[in-house]
Amino acid sequence: MQNWFSENINFGILISTLLLVLIGLGSIYSATYDAGASDFFNRQLIWAGIGLVAMLVVMFVPFRTLQLLSYPLYIFSILMLIAVLIFGKTVAGSKSWFGFGTFGLQPSEFVKVTCVLALATYLSDKKINLSRFKNLIVALLIVLIPVVLIIRQPDVGTAIIYILMLIPVLYWAGASLTLLLIIISPAAAAVAALFGITPFLIVLAALLITFFVLKENKLISAIIFSITVLVGVSVQFIYGKLAPYQQKRIDAFLNPEADPLGSGYNVIQSKVAIGSGGVFGKGFLEGSQTQLNFIPAQWTDFIYCVPAEEFGFVGSILILILFAYILFRSINVASTAKSRYASLVTMGVVSIFTAHILINIGMVMGIMPVIGVPLPLLSYGGSFLLSTMLMVGLLLNMYINRKEY
């Protein structure tokens, strides 16, 4: 029995996950301690218990059953996204919640799980070849259908996570570099154009150098380059069509000091909290930025600055090490799994986690736009914590079945 556990349970991922959940609970307790918001901690504690049970259940679901359920679960979750647009509750300007008394459920968080399963099922079919236009379109639609519905809510931050999951999974499934350039280069040009003409020209120059090095077909290169230029010069027009709160978030990202009491307030206070933590921090429940509530609702998207202030560089780097360990071990599982389905599911989850971690910590440190992306296993949010632990359950399941074909 002991040999079975050591052979089939990835204790590294499991223990790292539990440690991050405990750090998250401690951080939420601290952030709500003097804010009169202890209900948030109590709810998160309940969701952590539910998430732990859900993770263990998913971990032991028979491998083939999971694969057979991938499409039905995906279709059901898409119907939930449609239903929430009609019957959902609006919170913070986004109609993305079903309300059940004091609890809420956000379907877009669970669609991340079903989207990864459906995409992996499709791409693992031996008949699928991404060089065929029809196959590629179907793969894109599996991701873009929920993206369109989520943007309608609107919840741009969550929609971006789906796109950032798609690119690595397509690469892992064998997509050509040309295809990836078609997806990546317009997005890079759009972001660069927000910073001005010089960064935009640098992206275009980098794209030309890439074409030269890869010796791509000249006609295809010209088409990709034209699309990239068109997207880049359209950025200001698209910016004008965004909601005012979205424009403020982009402005705060580009120059937080321009509106220190408005859109840039959270980022500035977050950077102060991180910087004031020093090497070893101020101690649990002793963070002045946290306990004096300088950052509104710090227990949500800005939770990372709580351990960074109270446990300093040591505490914040420990969190990064735990995340890095989970990602590294998961990539190892994706590389060694015999089943293409297991490999793609694992890579999908890794991509989602990586996107969340980089964007959230980038937001908190002021090097990424504030787009409402929470930190896995730490940020407050029942739906997000539950869906994250379901995905950890998938990682553990794929590890158990890594030798299955």
Side-chain angles (χ1 to χ4, degrees):
M1 191 66 175
Q2 188 177 357
N3 287 338
W4 186 91
F5 276 102
S6 59
E7 174 67 22
N8 292 287
I9 306 298
N10 192 321
F11 286 102
I13 292 177
L14 182 61
I15 292 172
S16 298
T17 298
L18 296 178
L19 284 175
L20 285 168
V21 171
L22 289 175
I23 292 172
L25 287 171
S27 300
I28 292 170
Y29 179 82
S30 178
T32 58
Y33 182 69
D34 270 342
S38 58
D39 281 352
F40 290 105
F41 170 74
N42 295 332
R43 287 181 204 164
Q44 189 76 352
L45 195 59
I46 294 171
W47 280 112
I50 296 171
L52 181 60
V53 174
M55 181 182 76
L56 294 175
V57 170
V58 170
M59 179 177 167
F60 291 109
V61 170
F63 182 63
R64 297 300 172 197
T65 303
L66 203 57
Q67 193 168 6
L68 284 173
L69 289 174
S70 294
Y71 286 146
L73 287 173
Y74 174 77
I75 293 169
F76 177 76
S77 65
I78 293 298
L79 293 175
M80 289 297 100
L81 277 184
I82 296 171
V84 83
L85 286 173
I86 302 170
F87 306 108
K89 184 171 69 173
T90 301
V91 177
S94 178
K95 196 173 184 180
S96 56
W97 295 83
F98 287 122
F100 304 99
T102 56
F103 284 86
L105 209 60
Q106 192 174 11
S108 58
E109 294 297 343
F110 300 101
V111 180
K112 288 176 191 168
V113 183
T114 61
C115 191
V116 165
L117 293 177
L119 188 61
T121 300
Y122 181 73
L123 293 176
S124 61
D125 189 328
K126 292 180 180 176
K127 299 174 186 172
I128 300 303
N129 185 339
L130 287 175
S131 62
R132 294 184 196 135
F133 185 70
K134 184 176 74 174
N135 294 160
L136 174 63
I137 290 297
V138 173
L140 293 177
L141 283 177
I142 289 173
V143 177
L144 293 182
I145 289 173
V147 166
V148 170
L149 292 170
I150 291 167
I151 289 176
R152 292 277 297 171
Q153 294 178 355
D155 185 355
V156 176
T158 302
I160 288 174
I161 296 296
Y162 283 75
I163 300 297
L164 294 179
M165 176 273 288
L166 173 65
I167 296 169
V169 171
L170 287 179
Y171 175 74
W172 202 254
S176 68
L177 288 174
T178 302
L179 173 62
L180 297 177
L181 279 176
I182 292 173
I183 299 172
I184 294 172
S185 56
V191 173
L194 285 171
F195 286 92
I197 187 67
T198 303
F200 177 53
L201 292 176
I202 290 173
V203 169
L204 294 182
L207 185 60
L208 288 174
I209 293 171
T210 304
F211 286 143
F212 178 77
V213 172
L214 296 178
K215 302 186 186 305
E216 290 290 341
N217 179 285
K218 290 181 180 177
L219 177 60
I220 294 175
S221 299
I223 292 172
I224 296 173
F225 189 78
S226 301
I227 293 172
T228 303
V229 171
L230 184 63
V231 169
V233 298
S234 303
V235 162
Q236 290 305 319
F237 173 77
I238 296 170
Y239 175 85
K241 296 292 183 183
L242 293 175
Y245 79 91
Q246 292 170 319
Q247 291 181 350
K248 285 183 179 178
R249 285 179 171 180
I250 293 174
D251 293 341
F253 163 57
L254 297 176
N255 187 11
E257 283 76 17
D259 187 12
L261 299 178
S263 54
Y265 178 80
N266 281 15
V267 173
I268 292 172
Q269 295 303 325
S270 170
K271 290 161 72 175
V272 171
I274 293 173
S276 65
V279 177
F280 298 106
K282 299 173 179 174
F284 188 52
L285 301 179
E286 298 295 332
S288 54
Q289 293 292 111
T290 299
Q291 301 308 320
L292 296 177
N293 306 309
F294 277 97
I295 303 174
Q298 190 177 1
W299 49 88
T300 55
D301 300 342
F302 284 82
I303 192 68
Y304 183 68
C305 57
V306 177
E309 182 185 21
E310 298 192 338
F311 296 98
F313 176 78
V314 173
S316 54
I317 204 70
L318 172 65
I319 293 171
L320 295 181
I321 288 172
L322 290 171
F323 277 130
Y325 182 79
I326 291 174
L327 296 177
F328 174 77
R329 290 300 304 268
S330 300
I331 291 172
N332 183 257
V333 173
S335 303
T336 56
K338 304 294 183 187
S339 161
R340 185 171 167 81
Y341 172 76
S343 180
L344 288 167
V345 168
T346 305
M347 189 48 63
V349 173
V350 168
S351 303
I352 288 174
F353 281 7
T354 303
H356 267 283
I357 294 164
L358 291 179
I359 293 177
N360 180 276
I361 294 180
M363 280 166 38
V364 172
M365 296 178 70
I367 55 176
M368 295 283 281
V370 180
I371 54 174
V373 171
L375 186 61
L377 304 171
L378 270 77
S379 288
Y380 172 79
S383 298
F384 180 59
L385 180 60
L386 180 55
S387 68
T388 303
M389 295 191 79
L390 284 171
M391 285 189 274
V392 175
L394 287 177
L395 293 178
L396 296 171
N397 187 308
M398 298 307 132
Y399 180 79
I400 292 174
N401 294 286
R402 65 192 184 283
K403 295 178 182 175
E404 296 282 336
Y405 284 93

